[in-house]
Amino acid sequence: MAKKYNCTINGVQYFKKSKVVGHDINGKPLRKYFYGDGEKDANRQIEEYMNKLKSGLNVNVEALTVEQAMHQWLFDVRLHSKNIKSASFEKDECNYRNYIKGSTIGSIHVQDAVSLPFQRYYNELYTKGLKVYNKNTKQFEYKKVSSNKIFDINKTLRAFFTYCIKEHYTLNNPCTLSNIEIPGNADGEEDDTDEEEGNNIQAFNDTELQTIIDNLKYKPNQDNTFKVMLLLDIVTGLRSGELRGLKKKFVEQNIVKIRNTLKRIKVFETPSKYHYETKLIKPKSDSSIRNVNFPTDFSLIMEQYLQEQELKWKNNGLKFDDDSLIFTTKNCTPIEVSNFRRAWQRFLKRVNIEYKKFHSIRDTYATKLIRLGANITTVKELLGHSSITITEKYYVFVFPEDRAETANLLNNLILPETHNNISLENNLPKEVYMFPMQVYYKLLQFFLTN
């Protein structure tokens, strides 16, 4: 049977049909018109629309796309919310701008959203990468996207659709983990571009560490800020932001308490206007909130350093109180991460050590403890890792000479008669395995006081 049409709009034929969808405040019927590709299609549209009304959906936003709705969610709802941290908003905005705006999933109507298009998009991101424009080559290229990043994108979308359900834009959340499988390497291979902590360990060897410490001698009545920062990091393994964000009240006789981190974040004034600020924020995970002991001998250095800081703040017309940062510029302002990195680069160049990222001190702290026999659970807690698998994956690391020594432990298995002739000169003393933390601290105390 041929399709029937009863109107033409812009040269296209439709079957026009109306339906009473409610009444105004005076009781007058409200009619909505539907335009279908024939009468059957018009009836289908009416049925779908009435079902949405019955289910409580907001039919006035049926044409709203994911991209449009996310923009509203970010800048009309979350931007000025007292419950949303600046760093969280920045991450969600970054995910929206780089992965959703202008993408295939961005054009999906919110009320039509199901899991499959999102799953396909994630799979394509993982296998093919994100298409980006290289300003240097003036060409488009594909940038690999890790499983962790895709998980993070999906986390933003999950929160967005939760909001949409609350606002009756949709009835379901297509991005729950029960509906989505995050693509990745089930067999445990590494993502080449995964920049999470520990993927590229760059620990200093003993000679390099000794050289670094030799060039960090504390000199009274001088600006020792950078020196003390490095020394404290050597004996605590703090992250850069945790180190720069330390307040006076969180430093005790031989303990530092990690309660915040200093981070440079993007602060939006309007959707198109923003600026950067260096702010103290809560650490990235609850496990990062921790107490870390340092050698008692180092307490003497910290005590003298804090006294000098009090004088510095006083000379700047400021009070050095419990909430003051202990590591600041000469003007008592927070140390920007870019300036700190440059100071680190200059220091390594001056002492003739090949450049390694500042995070390498944290790597050195962790691998040193493990080499000395520290319990991996203790190392996890000291580093503030959210899971022991992170510690195992990134810090169960041995140097080449360690591998050889480990292999030699099996000598007696093959040649038991040589057992009594084995030299123990190069073996670690028994107390290393019994008290690894103390041994590490003694080693560092020796470096610091000699």
Side-chain angles (χ1 to χ4, degrees):
M1 182 182 293
K3 293 180 180 179
K4 293 190 296 182
Y5 303 98
N6 58 14
C7 72
T8 301
I9 301 176
N10 295 327
V12 180
Q13 289 186 313
Y14 294 97
F15 188 92
K16 178 181 178 181
K17 199 167 185 178
S18 67
K19 176 73 176 178
V20 175
V21 295
H23 297 79
D24 63 16
I25 57 176
N26 297 316
K28 183 179 179 179
L30 295 174
R31 287 187 173 273
K32 180 176 174 62
Y33 292 91
F34 300 86
Y35 300 85
D37 184 19
E39 184 176 11
K40 185 176 181 180
D41 186 51
N43 287 332
R44 179 190 60 78
Q45 290 183 30
I46 292 173
E47 183 180 1
E48 288 180 354
Y49 186 87
M50 297 307 294
N51 285 336
K52 287 179 179 179
L53 281 180
K54 291 177 183 178
S55 65
L57 281 177
N58 184 349
V59 292
N60 295 320
V61 296
E62 60 182 352
L64 194 65
T65 65
V66 170
E67 179 179 327
Q68 293 169 337
M70 280 201 78
H71 188 276
Q72 294 177 8
W73 173 64
L74 284 169
F75 295 103
D76 294 335
V77 179
R78 290 172 71 85
L79 178 58
H80 301 295
S81 172
K82 69 181 181 65
N83 298 317
I84 305 300
K85 297 178 182 178
S86 300
S88 297
F89 178 85
E90 182 184 14
K91 179 182 287 188
D92 288 335
E93 188 277 334
C94 182
N95 286 337
Y96 162 75
R97 175 167 34 85
N98 293 324
Y99 297 95
I100 296 162
K101 183 179 180 181
S103 70
T104 55
I105 60 173
S107 62
I108 296 172
H109 290 117
V110 173
Q111 291 190 354
D112 298 332
V114 293
S115 300
L116 188 57
F118 294 89
Q119 182 71 67
R120 286 173 173 165
Y121 179 63
Y122 295 159
N123 294 344
E124 183 177 356
L125 278 180
Y126 185 77
T127 57
K128 194 173 181 179
L130 178 69
K131 189 176 182 180
V132 294
Y133 183 73
N134 189 320
K135 293 182 179 179
N136 295 326
T137 63
K138 296 182 179 181
Q139 293 182 339
F140 284 96
E141 56 188 38
Y142 284 93
K143 177 183 177 183
K144 188 165 177 59
V145 182
S146 71
S147 290
N148 286 341
K149 185 58 190 177
I150 294 172
F151 179 88
D152 189 55
I153 297 167
N154 191 67
K155 184 178 179 181
T156 295
L157 281 164
R158 281 206 320 270
F160 160 69
F161 276 110
T162 298
Y163 164 79
C164 290
I165 292 172
K166 185 176 69 173
E167 294 297 310
H168 305 290
Y169 291 174
T170 185
L171 296 176
N172 67 92
N173 191 330
C175 294
T176 60
L177 292 179
S178 60
N179 295 328
I180 291 291
E181 291 286 344
I182 302 298
N185 298 305
D187 295 328
E189 299 95 338
E190 298 295 334
D191 294 326
D192 292 338
T193 58
D194 188 352
E195 296 178 352
E196 290 295 319
E197 179 175 292
N199 263 21
N200 182 23
I201 296 175
Q202 292 183 326
F204 291 104
N205 61 40
D206 292 342
T207 301
E208 291 172 329
L209 180 60
Q210 177 69 73
T211 300
I212 289 173
I213 295 175
D214 285 345
N215 284 274
L216 296 176
K217 298 300 182 183
Y218 191 91
K219 296 181 180 180
N221 303 317
Q222 290 189 13
D223 184 4
N224 291 287
T225 301
F226 183 73
K227 294 179 181 178
V228 175
M229 289 181 77
L230 296 192
L231 289 172
L232 180 60
D233 207 57
I234 288 171
V235 296
T236 59
L238 303 186
R239 301 177 178 97
S240 171
E242 295 171 344
L243 187 68
R244 292 179 295 111
L246 270 180
K247 293 182 179 181
K248 180 184 176 183
K249 65 182 178 183
F250 296 140
V251 180
E252 297 184 356
Q253 187 168 359
N254 66 327
I255 293 176
V256 287
K257 297 180 178 180
I258 310 306
R259 299 295 183 270
N260 42 235
T261 184
L262 198 65
K263 186 176 181 181
R264 182 173 172 81
I265 59 175
K266 184 187 291 184
V267 178
F268 285 84
E269 300 163 40
T270 68
S272 58
K273 184 180 179 182
Y274 60 85
H275 64 277
Y276 286 94
E277 289 183 9
T278 298
K279 300 179 67 174
L280 279 174
I281 62 174
K282 183 181 177 181
K284 65 178 186 177
S285 65
D286 290 340
S287 59
S288 293
I289 299 175
R290 64 198 190 280
N291 297 341
V292 182
N293 291 75
F294 56 80
T296 53
D297 284 3
F298 189 70
S299 298
L300 301 176
I301 294 178
M302 283 302 301
E303 183 178 349
Q304 188 171 1
Y305 173 75
L306 293 177
Q307 290 175 359
E308 292 180 359
Q309 290 306 295
E310 185 170 6
L311 180 60
K312 181 179 79 173
W313 281 63
K314 184 178 180 179
N315 291 337
N316 278 277
L318 301 169
K319 184 180 179 181
F320 188 55
D321 57 24
D322 283 348
D323 284 315
S324 300
L325 295 178
I326 66 170
F327 298 122
T328 59
T329 66
K330 292 181 179 180
N331 297 322
C332 301
T333 57
I335 298 175
E336 296 286 347
V337 63
S338 57
N339 293 335
F340 183 68
R341 284 173 182 161
R342 282 193 287 269
W344 171 244
Q345 290 171 346
R346 289 194 298 267
F347 172 78
L348 290 182
K349 185 176 182 180
R350 179 168 62 82
V351 299
N352 295 317
I353 292 179
E354 183 180 356
Y355 175 77
K356 290 184 177 69
K357 58 188 178 181
F358 178 73
H359 195 276
S360 297
I361 291 185
R362 182 170 164 85
D363 290 340
T364 305
Y365 173 80
T367 55
K368 205 62 155 160
L369 291 178
I370 291 174
R371 288 178 69 185
L372 291 170
N375 183 284
I376 196 168
T377 302
T378 303
V379 177
K380 167 193 172 293
E381 293 171 353
L382 289 169
L383 294 171
H385 285 161
S386 58
S387 169
I388 199 167
T389 57
I390 300 175
T391 315
E392 292 172 342
K393 183 178 180 182
Y394 299 126
Y395 288 108
V396 178
F397 169 83
V398 292
F399 293 97
E401 60 269 24
D402 293 326
R403 297 192 186 105
E405 290 177 6
T406 301
N408 286 334
L409 294 176
L410 297 178
N411 277 344
N412 192 47
L413 179 65
I414 307 300
L415 301 171
E417 66 276 10
T418 65
H419 174 74
N420 294 329
N421 296 324
I422 294 177
S423 171
L424 299 178
E425 290 180 0
N426 294 325
N427 290 345
L428 292 173
K430 182 179 180 181
E431 59 267 24
V432 167
Y433 299 97
M434 297 174 61
F435 308 103
M437 294 297 292
Q438 291 90 328
V439 172
Y440 178 54
Y441 287 160
K442 285 181 179 179
L443 175 65
L444 291 172
Q445 287 172 12
F446 175 79
F447 285 158
L448 292 170
T449 56
N450 291 277

